[in-house]
């Protein structure tokens, strides 16, 4: 049976075990969902009450200037007040916040007490460098405890962090520094990945050559190789943390609920990455609620979100929400298969992981190595599993469910986006599952699948996924570009005031949502979100390339791989060497995650009469499928 057939097979149910339902933080989805729909304002107010505030809000939702919604206005808070400060007053200060394992086997752990001390110290360091409320700080690091400390320290002093994923390189970093206008950067000498060093500091140096607005670089020593340090600009983290100024006492800045917490760049239809803006108030309410209800966090859990802190999944569910809930998190630095394909399963065994949240691409990648690797490990501590980033194919779902979860751990397949801040369409542990469906909207969330005119699609018909009402952790704008925010998300269904997610989906007869994929020029490669335009501009920045078009082609492990079609400048001829060089060029400019699998040299590209590249035609050709309606094709 192919996946496509399976997707429309909506009748296969998986029921959660009774003890999980009974002990769940929310045992009854329907009742809670109804309550939230009937009175969302009271619902969110009640959720916000579970947190501490310096001063309570006047208004839960201010929709007077839609789509620039505001939440908990008048409220005074700081996400660090709830993520760290409040735990210091309870027994939790002695609980482990983070258990970290490096790819090289190094181990470190932090209690809430110790983590808070490190954050206070680093907050003082940042202040001593002149970082103030409202400043932006760019962070480009590997998966180490220091990235968490850096993010929290920024939040604590009221600075806005902009984390760039370590899989991006030079031009991508430079663009993001420029857009955020960061004077201060935090990085490390390198990161371990598959036994090799990712040269993070090196990439930062080259990016700053292109974007010289950075005045200070703080460098965490992780891999220990020699890196050049620019005098007066670069400082070692450990040197700064040893200064008397780095005291363990530090005030948490009092922020308005709507003050910016972070910018996170993500890919869209055009080349320029979008700085998605999230704020202190609504974001903490929503992320902590969703983590507690979906992954059912209990005090004795060992939560492992195996994502990267450099993506929204890591921001929300490695850093902020778990700390707000006082949970113990596992963070692992490196590759799942290093040195052997059982590394992840060994981590589950070693630390008694109870909840594992990962992505379909990782599951498929590990599945390839067979059942013997996981079977050799004791995975009996697991209670819940999770999947995010792209639709999960039933084969991977079942392997995860049966081989990893031993048929007793429900899989929470959560659909959401950088823009949404938290889980939007997702089961709770009490909800019956259908493999491949993210099931139903989270309480307080109203979604639908609609046609061009905004009519609800009949069951099992493809349409556009929309979110009909605002929610606390929604993006507030695109950094520095309010108009783009409106155009991108709110113009398609302007009259109705709905948010356009950019995905196509189907709703079945049980109201379960089946997300199909992106409707814009965004490609999901190994769960990473990349814009065709970003990769294309990487290609044309090479002197031999006149024009380029990039498409995503389905791949068994990665979900999609990148195919690139290049028109060369006059006088250049295509060759294997040039293709190799171009791949390297993209690695350098955009990042290893953006490297095309295949590069084809062509004389022309299929275009509409208005000059738009018809990527769907390229895709149909690459996949050997019918090319469809060609009436708009130029020639
Ligand atoms: C896009 C958002 C949100 C964390 C990671 C991705 C796709 C995400 C699912 C899922 C089907 C999914 C969508 C979405 N997506 N989760 N459970 N099932 N598709 O965040 O990088 O902003 O990407 O990822 O296409 O629009 P992101």
């Amino acid at each position: 049976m192919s996946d496509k057939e399976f997707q429309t097979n909506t009748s296969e149910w998986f029921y959660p075990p009774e003890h999980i339902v009974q002990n769940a933080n929310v045992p009854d989805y329907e009742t809670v969902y109804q309550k939230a729909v009937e009175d969302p304002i009271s619902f969110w107010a009640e959720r916000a009450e579970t947190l501490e505030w310096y001063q309570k809000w006047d208004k839960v939702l201010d929709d007077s200037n839609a789509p620039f919604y505001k939440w908990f206005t008048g409220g005074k808070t700081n996400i660090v007040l709830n993520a760290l400060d409040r735990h210091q007053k309870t027994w939790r200060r002695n609980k482990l916040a983070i258990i970290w394992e490096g790819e090289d086997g190094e181990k470190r752990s932090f209690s809430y007490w110790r983590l808070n001390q490190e954050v206070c110290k680093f907050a003082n360091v940042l202040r001593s460098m002149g970082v103030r409320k409202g400043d932006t700080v760019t962070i480009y690091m590997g998966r180490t405890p220091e990235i968490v400390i850096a993010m929290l320290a920024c939040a604590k002093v009221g600075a806005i962090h902009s984390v760039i994923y370590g899989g991006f390189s030079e031009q991508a970093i430079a663009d993001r520094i420029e857009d955020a206008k960061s004077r201060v950067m935090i990085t490390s000498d390198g990161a371990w990945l598959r036994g090799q060093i990712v040269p993070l500091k090196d990439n930062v140096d080259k990016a700053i050559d292109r974007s010289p607005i950075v005045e200070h670089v703080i460098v965490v020593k992780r891999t220990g190789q020699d890196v050049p340090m620019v005098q007066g600009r670069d400082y070692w983290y450990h040197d700064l943390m040893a200064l008397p100024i780095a005291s363990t006492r530090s005030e948490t800045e009092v922020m308005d609920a709507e003050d910016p917490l972070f910018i996170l760049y993500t890919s869209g239809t055009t080349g320029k990455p979008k700085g998605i803006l999230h704020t202190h108030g609504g974001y903490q309410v929503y992320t902590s609620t969703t983590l507690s209800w979906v992954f059912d966090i209990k005090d004795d859990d060992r939560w492992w979100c195996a994502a990267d802190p450099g993506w929204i999944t890591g921001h929300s569910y490695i850093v902020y929400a778990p700390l707000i809930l006082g949970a113990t998190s596992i963070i692992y630095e490196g590759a799942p298969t290093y040195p052997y394909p059982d590394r992840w399963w060994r981590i589950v065994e070693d630390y008694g992981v109870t909840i594992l949240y990962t992505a379909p691409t990782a599951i498929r990648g590990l599945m390839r190595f067979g059942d013997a690797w996981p079977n050799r490990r004791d995975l009996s501590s697991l209670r819940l599993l999770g999947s995010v980033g792209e639709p999960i194919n039933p084969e991977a779902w079942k392997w995860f469910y049966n081989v990893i979860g031993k048929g007793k751990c429900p899989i929470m397949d959560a659909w959401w986006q950088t823009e949404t801040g938290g889980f939007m369409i997702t089961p709770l542990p009490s909800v019956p599952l259908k493999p491949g469906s993210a099931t139903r909207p989270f309480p307080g969330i109203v979604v639908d699948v609609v046609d061009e005119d905004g009519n609800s699609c009949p069951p099992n018909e493809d349409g556009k996924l929309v979110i009909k009402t605002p929610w606390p952790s929604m993006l507030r704008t695109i950094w520095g570009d309010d108009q783009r925010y409106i155009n991108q998300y709110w113009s398609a269904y302007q009259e109705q005031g709905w948010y356009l997610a950019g995905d196509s989906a189907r709703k079945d007869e049980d109201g379960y949502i089946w997300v199909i994929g992106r409707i814009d020029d965004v490609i999901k490669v190994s769960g990473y979100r990349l814009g065709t335009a970003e990769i294309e501009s990487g290609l044309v920045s090479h002197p031999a390339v006149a024009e380029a078009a990039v498409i995503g082609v389905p791949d068994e492990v990665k979900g999609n791989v990148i195919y690139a079609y290049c028109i060369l400048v006059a006088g250049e001829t295509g060759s294997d060497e040039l293709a190799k060089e171009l791949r390297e060029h993209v690695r350098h400019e955009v990042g290893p995650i953006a490297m095309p699998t295949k590069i084809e040299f062509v004389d022309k590209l299929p275009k509409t009469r208005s000059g738009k590249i018809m990527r769907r035609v390229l895709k149909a050709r690459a996949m050997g499928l019918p090319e469809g309606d060609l009436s708009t094709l130029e020639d």
Side-chain angles (χ1 to χ4, degrees):
M1 183 163 58
S2 82
D3 279 3
K4 195 141 182 73
E5 282 169 281
F6 196 98
Q7 288 252 324
T8 51
N9 170 6
T10 54
S11 58
E12 194 176 6
W13 292 94
F14 285 78
Y15 293 91
E18 202 43 47
H19 70 275
I20 287 189
V21 179
Q22 267 163 16
N23 296 317
N25 291 347
V26 175
D28 179 9
Y29 167 82
E30 302 294 342
T31 315
V32 178
Y33 188 86
Q34 275 320 316
K35 201 177 135 205
V37 167
E38 278 155 26
D39 185 358
I41 298 303
S42 309
F43 175 77
W44 290 120
E46 209 176 286
R47 295 315 305 158
E49 298 277 3
T50 65
L51 301 176
E52 240 175 66
W53 296 76
Y54 293 118
Q55 186 186 303
K56 257 182 70 177
W57 56 92
D58 306 322
K59 211 164 183 239
V60 172
L61 171 65
D62 174 357
D63 56 4
S64 58
N65 188 27
F68 298 95
Y69 295 95
K70 290 183 178 151
W71 286 86
F72 306 108
T73 49
K76 299 277 185 203
T77 183
N78 185 312
I79 201 162
V80 171
L81 167 68
N82 284 298
L84 290 176
D85 298 356
R86 70 165 171 171
H87 301 314
Q88 309 309 319
K89 294 174 276 180
T90 73
W91 64 271
R92 269 208 188 79
R93 64 175 173 266
N94 291 329
K95 185 178 170 179
L96 284 182
I98 292 170
I99 299 173
W100 176 80
E101 188 172 298
E103 196 188 68
D104 59 355
E106 190 184 335
K107 294 179 174 68
R108 290 155 72 196
S109 56
F110 293 79
S111 64
Y112 275 87
W113 179 261
R114 170 90 197 287
L115 182 63
N116 184 53
Q117 288 191 331
E118 298 295 315
V119 171
C120 286
K121 290 177 67 160
F122 195 52
N124 287 330
V125 166
L126 289 175
R127 283 193 176 114
S128 77
M129 287 196 153
V131 175
R132 295 287 176 271
K133 185 172 179 169
D135 290 349
T136 58
V137 173
T138 295
I139 301 174
Y140 176 69
M141 292 168 79
R143 238 174 275 168
T144 56
E146 283 76 16
I147 190 171
V148 181
I149 294 166
M151 289 165 70
L152 291 164
C154 286
K156 189 175 174 82
V157 307
I160 307 163
H161 58 71
S162 161
V163 180
I164 305 174
Y165 171 60
F168 283 115
S169 42
E170 273 180 71
Q171 192 56 46
I173 303 169
D175 290 344
R176 286 159 175 76
I177 295 174
E178 286 282 328
D179 192 77
K181 308 213 168 29
S182 288
R183 288 186 311 107
V184 174
M185 254 193 105
I186 308 163
T187 187
S188 51
D189 52 353
W192 288 114
L193 189 66
R194 283 177 220 96
Q196 312 243 308
I197 291 174
V198 182
L200 297 176
K201 173 65 164 60
D202 200 41
N203 292 343
V204 164
D205 288 339
K206 289 176 183 151
I208 295 177
D209 284 345
R210 299 184 189 198
S211 289
I213 57 168
V214 175
E215 291 164 21
H216 295 302
V217 182
I218 301 170
V219 189
V220 173
K221 186 170 269 187
R222 166 66 188 125
T223 42
Q225 83 279 20
D226 261 343
V227 291
M229 298 288 278
V230 176
Q231 250 221 301
R233 190 195 73 181
D234 301 352
Y235 303 88
W236 286 107
Y237 175 89
H238 58 263
D239 287 343
L240 297 171
M241 292 289 268
L243 295 173
I245 181 90
S247 104
T248 54
R249 242 169 293 166
S250 170
E251 290 292 315
T252 303
E253 197 75 33
V254 176
M255 309 295 283
D256 287 335
E258 280 295 313
D259 276 337
L261 169 62
F262 65 82
I263 310 167
L264 186 58
Y265 287 90
T266 189
S267 302
T269 304
T270 61
K272 199 167 169 268
K274 302 184 282 192
I276 303 301
L277 182 69
H278 286 286
T279 56
H280 276 265
Y283 178 79
Q284 52 176 316
V285 173
Y286 194 81
T287 54
S288 59
T289 299
T290 46
L291 182 62
S292 165
W293 290 9
V294 174
F295 282 104
D296 205 37
I297 304 288
K298 305 283 201 284
D299 251 324
D300 57 356
D301 268 316
R302 292 252 163 131
W303 159 249
W304 185 15
C305 169
D308 194 282
W311 296 92
I312 190 68
T313 313
H315 278 55
S316 299
Y317 298 112
I318 295 177
V319 181
Y320 290 114
L323 293 176
I324 294 169
L325 298 180
T328 301
S329 283
I330 313 292
I331 302 179
Y332 165 60
E333 178 185 38
T337 51
Y338 188 85
Y340 302 110
D342 68 342
R343 183 66 183 263
W344 271 21
W345 317 130
R346 220 207 62 209
I347 290 172
V348 171
E349 177 180 85
D350 283 357
Y351 301 105
V353 172
T354 53
I355 313 167
L356 171 62
Y357 182 40
T358 181
T361 184
I363 298 165
R364 290 189 298 259
L366 290 162
M367 190 169 97
R368 275 192 312 171
F369 294 99
D371 300 0
W373 292 104
N375 286 346
R376 223 175 280 143
R377 297 292 171 183
D378 179 1
L379 307 179
S380 60
S381 56
L382 289 170
R383 180 173 97 251
L384 284 174
L385 300 172
S387 171
V388 69
E390 57 183 320
I392 180 164
N393 53 309
E395 202 196 349
W397 196 98
K398 286 182 180 165
W399 187 80
F400 200 33
Y401 186 78
N402 290 318
V403 179
I404 305 307
K406 312 294 176 204
K408 65 179 178 62
C409 307
I411 299 176
M412 303 297 108
D413 177 355
W415 176 90
W416 59 298
Q417 311 176 297
T418 308
E419 291 87 340
T420 69
F423 310 144
M424 300 298 283
I425 305 174
T426 174
L428 304 188
S430 58
V431 170
L433 307 172
K434 301 187 189 191
S437 168
T439 75
R440 318 263 305 267
F442 190 79
I445 302 301
V446 183
V447 300
D448 201 1
V449 175
V450 299
D451 66 18
E452 298 286 335
D453 302 322
N455 306 308
S456 285
C457 292
N460 300 315
E461 209 158 280
D462 288 16
K464 288 178 176 162
L465 188 61
V466 293
I467 305 169
K468 292 188 164 177
T469 56
W471 64 102
S473 67
M474 63 199 301
L475 78 162
R476 295 306 193 263
T477 189
I478 292 175
W479 184 247
D481 203 344
D482 287 348
Q483 193 54 48
R484 192 172 175 200
Y485 166 71
I486 295 173
N487 296 349
Q488 186 84 46
Y489 304 106
W490 304 96
S491 62
Y493 298 101
Q494 194 178 5
E495 252 165 66
Q496 299 93 331
W498 298 340
Y499 168 91
L500 179 78
D503 280 328
S504 61
R506 246 174 257 151
K507 194 156 84 174
D508 70 18
E509 48 289 329
D510 300 307
Y512 276 48
I513 309 279
W514 300 74
V515 175
I516 301 164
R518 300 288 309 188
I519 45 178
D520 51 11
D521 293 323
V522 167
I523 311 178
K524 281 269 169 162
V525 182
S526 300
Y528 298 129
R529 177 167 160 183
L530 293 164
T532 52
E534 262 170 302
I535 309 166
E536 286 161 5
S537 59
L539 283 163
V540 295
S541 72
H542 189 281
V545 181
E547 207 180 344
V550 156
I551 56 166
V553 175
D555 176 83
E556 254 184 45
V557 174
K558 295 182 168 178
N560 289 289
V561 289
I562 299 163
Y563 279 21
Y565 299 85
C566 296
I567 301 177
L568 297 178
V569 297
E572 292 281 350
T573 38
S575 65
D576 287 351
E577 285 76 63
L578 183 59
K580 210 172 139 201
E581 193 180 315
L582 291 177
R583 284 165 42 86
E584 271 312 306
H585 183 73
V586 173
R587 170 204 276 281
H588 211 79
E589 292 288 309
V590 192
I593 52 168
M595 267 167 76
T597 305
K598 188 170 132 180
I599 293 187
E600 214 175 292
F601 300 105
V602 293
D603 295 330
K604 55 182 175 194
L605 292 166
K607 284 186 186 167
T608 61
R609 272 172 227 119
S610 58
K612 223 173 161 270
I613 296 170
M614 295 176 80
R615 292 194 184 77
R616 78 173 166 81
V617 174
L618 289 170
K619 190 164 172 168
R621 278 181 205 168
M623 294 171 65
L625 296 170
E627 287 173 21
D629 179 13
L630 295 179
S631 58
T632 55
L633 194 67
E634 187 186 29
D635 73 88

